[in-house]
Amino acid sequence: MSPPRRTLDVSHLPTFAFGHRDPLWWGVTGLMAIESTAFVLMLASYFYIRGNYAHFPPTALPFYVKVVAAVITGVMLLSAVPIHYANRAALKGRLRGMRWGLALGSLLGFVVVALRIVEFLWIGFRWDTHAYGSIFWFIVGMHTVHTLSGSLEDLLLLGVLFKGPVEEKHLVDVHTNGRYWFFVVASWLPIYVILYLDPAVLAS
Amino acid sequence: MSAPLPTPPEPPPVRDDEAWERLYLERTWAPKKGLIGWLSEVHHTEIGKRYIITAFVFFLLGGIEALLMRWQLSGPEKQVMGPDLYNQVFTMHGSTMMFLFAVPMMEGVGLYLVPLMIGTRNAAFPRLNAFGYWTYLIGGLLLYGGFLLNVGPDAGWFSYVPLAGPQYSPGKRVDIWAQMITFTELAGLAGAVNLIVTVFKHRAPGMSLNRMPLFVWAMLVKSFMVVFAMPAVMVASTSLAMDRLIGTHFFNAAEGGDALLWQHLFWFFGHPEVYIIFIPALGMLSSILAVFTRRQVFGYLPVVLSMVSIGFIGFGLWVHHMFATGLPQLGQSFFTAASLMVALPSGVQIFCWLATLWGGRLWLKLPLYWVLAFFAVFVTGGLTGVMLGTYSVDQQVHDTHFVVAHFHYVLIGGAVFPLFGGLYYWFPKITGRMLGERLGKWNFWTFFLGFNLTFFPLHFLGMMGMPRRVYTYGVERGWQPLNLLATVGAVIMAVSITLLLVNIFWSLKRGEVAGNDPWGADTLEWGTTSPPPSYNFLHLPTVRGRYARWTAAEDQPVVTGVRSDRKEVLVTRLLDAAPDHRAELPGPTLWPLWVALATGVMFIMVIFTPWGIVVGGVLLFITLTGWFWPRPPYKEELAPEQPS
């Protein structure tokens, strides 16, 4: 038994926190840093390969594929709205708002995946057609995997929200999940601009 | 929870009673028992130890491969191995030492020590830790399983295309290499994120960023480098695997791909990798220096800034590995300048450490021996590094044994010497017993002698024109005497490592009992028992200076009010480490193992069929759902609204 000593009492502190006070927020930020680095390097590889072609792109993107990609971009941006709504509901602990937000968000996510399948069916070249095809499918495919896994995550959280009981830290989970979805949407924008709005690609 | 607990007095928010506190903590943090318990372990000390032991086993395997190569090269036209086996052996040696020993070893040491050094009870993401370890283990087993089945990779540790591509390396050898990379890098990334968040959010109150031990700074910088470097090699190894398995053309020049793209991607990772191995060693070195000179490290701020700037500069010089590929002149100059620039922060650090030695009273114990040897060996390697970083010199000695000499001097000198110093320093903390002093000196001197005898002659062999990776050479070259000398050195190193093993096993049973703090050290891990209990600290500590234990007040406060009947830890603020909230960490579970196995099925199955993606994807979804499914809730932590 040691004599009584000075203490720093922390029992009054809360058991959860939103935003950058939360360790998981930093964990997901780390994940985003890793994935951003991967996307940046894939885009750098795209430019590296692009430089090898005297005539670029080797296969033109069909007009309807360009339209589908534009629609996908629109749906992507739109999906951020219900997720934003879910995030605000999470901050206030409102169950209904989180459920609607996540349900609509994941639905739009699955719409993106479905449109992507249509795009890949129509695109007219495969990953093994040429190096342009390889890098194109690689980048867009990787992003689709993110879209799919993000939408599945929404479903998982929806399961928790419907089954209950819902703990305070699940609100933080919903909020963190929403932030990750914003990353999925945001990382699509440079990919869309570089892969589809390149003047050479547009003119092809 | 098995046996019933004695009923405590109604849980008071502040428990002053130490015996109760200890009883509760032991019950709460106790690992599960039996095989299932062993497989579901998530505590950082246990995971860290597993990393260290596994990496050490791979170090021994890599060492045996090195001995085989030295045996083969000890004389001209030797027939110990044929060229095919030799190719596999040098590829295995390089891949093992870089991916299965050096990085995981440093990560393991970090995962073991960082939570203790910053005064918390576990890493921020305990299950991610376990997942990382299992993934790493699967990757290592895959590589050695392949080697035993004669499908060991044989295209060198950096697997340059087109040699490693589908056309020139048919079969599964390079696929196994590529997947091993994906496994180990995944593990590396998991560990890095874990370390960053643990350091950012779980430091003891008072340990603001500018009071963090240099070791923790080193681990933080290393982890950031992992986050931005390892994705490059994952993109590269995935592209290579796809070129080989589903016919993509990333590196196929005939279809618009580019072989040099591989080199860029690989070295964008590969050069920072060197610092990922080296910077943690600097942290160990700084810890040892402070304790064995009995003073604060000279120039805390310049040392930290040097580590951070090495972290940045390390990303700007990957092209110096590609000097022989034909660069534009601007590229030659730029990357020569960038390569030489890294000598500046390195020099600042070396001088800070020398000043520490100068102004301190040296306590010549074994950890310090290794650190002093580091200066000699690493500076030698650094000097040849400055030579090689120069475009014109590199053109002459590229791909010769000069390069082999250089990087063994920087990697063994820069990382293994401090690591062994760290082993002698932290062994008492990890095991509770001291390593034997006498055997330790034999271990040190034989290693130092053997190392220099092995690698110093390689400089001359390189300048005499002996290329890397040749499986033999003709008598008329005149390379035999120096090669034989190098082989003798390698045997002495092997003897030295054997002595180390004997010392470890002897000390585990008979070593002197260490007590909490045999060195009178400054960092927090020495404030708890050796080995630490499953909850690390009876009372979470607070800190009021850079050298936590040296600057602690007579009545330095301890943290109370963190629940001991749950696995609760304190979360503090990023910059000033002021208490912010309390968080519960997950306990032992098998889910990380299942997720790692699902990942294993996916990555190994895709070597044979693309269906691996589908099968692995489904398994991953199922296992991840299990991982994230919430535990039974606590009433007082329920959200305001509940499903009806």
Side-chain angles (χ1 to χ4, degrees):
Chain A
M1 278 284 168
S2 54
R5 52 193 307 183
R6 285 202 294 154
T7 56
L8 174 70
D9 184 22
V10 296
S11 55
H12 61 282
L13 292 178
T15 54
F16 71 103
F18 285 99
H20 66 84
R21 293 168 59 198
D22 174 35
L24 189 61
W25 188 93
W26 285 98
V28 172
T29 305
L31 183 66
M32 294 197 263
I34 290 167
E35 296 185 338
S36 306
T37 311
F39 277 125
V40 165
L41 288 164
M42 286 193 269
L43 289 172
S45 306
Y46 174 85
F47 282 115
Y48 204 88
I49 286 171
R50 192 185 188 283
N52 286 345
Y53 286 98
H55 177 74
F56 185 85
T59 310
L61 285 189
F63 174 71
Y64 31 87
V65 164
K66 290 173 193 161
V67 173
V68 171
V71 174
I72 284 177
T73 309
V75 178
M76 270 281 183
L77 287 172
L78 193 64
S79 72
V81 176
I83 295 295
H84 175 70
Y85 185 70
N87 275 5
R88 300 214 4 195
L91 287 176
K92 291 178 189 151
R94 285 200 327 258
L95 204 55
R96 239 174 86 88
M98 287 190 286
R99 284 177 178 173
W100 273 106
L102 283 176
L104 281 175
S106 71
L107 180 70
L108 290 175
F110 286 120
V111 168
V112 167
V113 175
L115 286 171
R116 186 73 76 206
I117 293 172
V118 173
E119 180 193 341
F120 276 149
L121 288 175
W122 287 354
I123 200 162
F125 57 85
R126 290 176 16 135
W127 56 89
D128 54 2
T129 310
H130 36 47
Y132 170 68
S134 306
I135 191 72
F136 190 99
W137 277 74
F138 190 25
I139 296 174
V140 178
M142 282 306 285
H143 195 272
T144 308
V145 170
H146 282 78
T147 313
L148 183 63
S149 60
S151 308
L152 288 173
E153 244 177 76
D154 290 346
L155 284 189
L156 204 66
L157 282 171
L158 266 181
V160 174
L161 293 182
F162 273 101
K163 183 180 161 289
V166 180
E167 285 191 80
E168 284 161 336
K169 63 178 180 188
H170 296 145
L171 309 180
V172 182
D173 290 342
V174 169
H175 196 259
T176 307
N177 173 70
R179 187 163 155 271
Y180 183 73
W181 183 259
F182 294 151
F183 164 74
V184 173
V185 174
S187 61
W188 171 250
L189 298 178
I191 295 175
Y192 176 67
V193 171
I194 290 170
L195 260 52
Y196 297 85
L197 299 187
D198 180 332
V201 175
L202 269 188
S204 68
Chain B
M1 297 288 132
S2 44
L5 274 174
T7 322
E10 262 311 291
V14 184
R15 292 199 177 86
D16 291 327
D17 187 331
E18 288 209 353
W20 273 118
E21 184 81 355
R22 181 171 284 124
L23 183 69
Y24 265 95
L25 284 170
E26 261 162 21
R27 201 47 81 89
T28 306
W29 289 86
K32 288 191 192 169
K33 294 201 171 64
L35 179 65
I36 302 287
W38 193 83
L39 293 173
S40 48
E41 183 63 64
V42 295
H43 195 254
H44 77 99
T45 52
E46 189 58 33
I47 302 287
K49 262 196 292 193
R50 288 182 195 174
Y51 262 109
I52 293 170
I53 293 169
T54 313
F56 197 77
V57 170
F58 282 122
F59 173 71
L60 297 177
L61 292 172
I64 291 169
E65 287 144 15
L67 280 176
L68 287 173
M69 285 189 284
R70 283 314 324 165
W71 187 9
Q72 166 76 13
L73 293 178
S74 60
E77 319 268 354
K78 272 206 158 325
Q79 295 296 325
V80 181
M81 291 177 264
D84 180 66
L85 184 58
Y86 189 83
N87 286 350
Q88 289 186 59
V89 169
F90 75 65
T91 304
M92 290 295 289
H93 171 74
S95 305
T96 302
M97 289 305 197
M98 295 301 274
F99 298 109
L100 301 178
F101 162 63
V103 175
M105 176 61 95
M106 294 304 176
E107 194 138 290
V109 174
L111 288 172
Y112 186 95
L113 287 173
V114 163
L116 284 164
M117 260 192 203
I118 62 173
T120 182
R121 298 202 194 282
N122 201 352
F125 306 120
R127 294 183 293 187
L128 189 64
N129 242 351
F131 166 75
Y133 174 75
W134 295 121
T135 316
Y136 155 58
L137 185 66
I138 294 173
L141 292 178
L142 172 68
L143 186 71
Y144 274 85
F147 185 48
L148 289 178
L149 298 172
N150 195 30
V151 273
D154 57 356
W157 84 276
F158 40 66
S159 283
Y160 274 179
V161 289
L163 175 63
Q167 204 177 351
Y168 297 100
S169 288
K172 297 293 177 200
R173 289 180 167 183
V174 176
D175 299 316
I176 286 187
W177 182 86
Q179 297 309 68
M180 179 277 290
I181 296 295
T182 313
F183 278 116
T184 51
E185 305 315 270
L186 198 56
L189 288 164
V193 170
N194 216 337
L195 279 172
I196 292 174
V197 180
T198 309
V199 171
F200 273 5
K201 296 306 291 177
H202 290 289
R203 296 197 308 279
M207 191 186 275
S208 47
L209 279 183
N210 60 344
R211 287 180 184 162
M212 265 178 7
L214 288 169
F215 179 86
V216 177
W217 267 111
M219 281 295 164
L220 185 65
V221 172
K222 177 219 91 145
S223 301
F224 269 101
M225 293 191 75
V226 168
V227 163
F228 293 108
M230 287 197 178
V233 78
M234 288 185 77
V235 168
S237 67
T238 309
S239 309
L240 178 63
M242 289 197 289
D243 264 17
R244 299 176 52 86
L245 299 170
I246 56 167
T248 56
H249 300 290
F250 291 103
F251 309 119
N252 177 9
E255 288 293 347
D258 206 310
L260 279 186
L261 176 60
W262 169 264
Q263 295 195 24
H264 279 295
L265 287 173
F266 187 87
W267 290 116
F268 186 79
F269 144 82
H271 198 81
E273 165 93 339
V274 176
Y275 297 107
I276 288 168
I277 294 167
F278 171 57
I279 288 181
L282 303 185
M284 297 179 192
L285 172 84
S286 303
S287 301
I288 293 171
L289 264 184
V291 172
F292 293 89
T293 58
R294 317 308 291 172
R295 57 158 293 167
Q296 306 188 350
V297 171
F298 179 89
Y300 177 92
L301 189 64
V303 170
V304 169
L305 287 179
S306 300
M307 285 198 275
V308 174
S309 52
I310 288 177
F312 279 99
I313 298 171
F315 281 92
L317 33 78
W318 78 95
V319 180
H320 74 212
H321 295 268
M322 300 165 60
F323 276 162
T325 59
L327 295 176
Q329 201 166 7
L330 183 66
Q332 297 168 13
S333 318
F334 177 86
F335 286 102
T336 295
S339 307
L340 300 190
M341 195 158 82
V342 86
L344 297 180
S346 306
V348 169
Q349 281 180 331
I350 296 276
F351 281 111
C352 284
W353 291 320
L354 288 179
T356 311
L357 284 166
W358 188 283
R361 287 182 49 191
L362 300 197
W363 187 24
L364 259 181
K365 303 293 272 184
L366 277 165
L368 191 60
Y369 274 60
W370 292 96
V371 168
L372 294 177
F374 155 88
F375 287 109
V377 176
F378 177 72
V379 170
T380 313
L383 289 178
T384 53
V386 174
M387 294 163 74
L388 281 171
T390 315
Y391 184 83
S392 45
V393 178
D394 185 82
Q395 288 289 303
Q396 296 301 314
V397 291
H398 188 83
D399 257 348
T400 69
H401 268 74
F402 189 85
V403 178
V404 179
H406 158 72
F407 67 68
H408 282 89
Y409 263 84
V410 280
L411 285 173
I412 297 187
V416 178
F417 274 83
L419 179 72
F420 283 175
L423 175 67
Y424 278 91
Y425 178 59
W426 278 296
F427 188 85
K429 178 50 62 188
I430 298 174
T431 66
R433 286 178 188 269
M434 310 291 285
L435 275 171
E437 187 88 13
R438 223 175 115 88
L439 214 46
K441 282 193 181 139
W442 277 98
N443 165 223
F444 170 77
W445 285 111
T446 45
F447 195 82
F448 186 69
L449 176 75
F451 169 79
N452 283 295
L453 217 52
T454 310
F455 293 104
F456 203 73
L458 301 191
H459 292 109
F460 299 100
L461 283 171
M463 287 188 283
M464 288 160 78
M466 183 173 171
R468 300 166 77 167
R469 298 178 171 173
V470 284
Y471 86 104
T472 193
Y473 49 90
V475 191
E476 73 286 356
R477 300 283 187 177
W479 296 338
Q480 185 185 2
L482 288 175
N483 267 305
L484 188 60
L485 196 61
T487 304
V488 170
V491 172
I492 297 177
M493 280 173 90
V495 170
S496 171
I497 295 297
T498 313
L499 293 178
L500 176 64
L501 283 174
V502 170
N503 198 357
I504 288 174
F505 284 113
W506 186 84
S507 303
L508 277 176
K509 287 250 181 309
R510 308 250 158 92
E512 194 191 325
V513 174
N516 289 4
D517 183 13
W519 312 115
D522 61 310
T523 36
L524 289 172
E525 78 272 25
W526 302 100
T528 184
T529 54
S530 312
S534 55
Y535 45 89
N536 285 357
F537 298 94
L538 179 58
H539 300 293
L540 290 176
T542 63
V543 169
R544 69 162 191 178
R546 260 178 206 160
Y547 295 82
R549 280 165 55 71
W550 291 350
T551 55
E554 203 53 43
D555 58 343
Q556 185 73 27
V558 293
V559 178
T560 56
V562 175
R563 295 184 71 133
S564 45
D565 55 344
R566 290 179 192 161
K567 293 190 180 62
E568 215 171 65
V569 292
L570 182 63
V571 181
T572 48
R573 290 204 304 236
L574 171 57
L575 294 177
D576 57 4
D580 187 76
H581 63 279
R582 298 173 289 137
E584 195 203 13
L585 296 181
T589 162
L590 284 173
W591 286 111
L593 175 63
W594 299 135
V595 176
L597 286 173
T599 316
V601 168
M602 176 151 91
F603 288 157
I604 295 175
M605 197 170 159
V606 290
I607 297 180
F608 303 98
T609 160
W611 285 102
I613 296 281
V614 180
V615 175
V618 171
L619 287 176
L620 264 181
F621 181 71
I622 295 170
T623 49
L624 279 172
T625 305
W627 177 325
F628 289 116
W629 203 251
R631 50 141 182 75
Y634 299 136
K635 279 201 197 90
E636 74 280 10
E637 291 183 11
L638 289 180
E641 290 181 21
Q642 293 297 324
S644 44

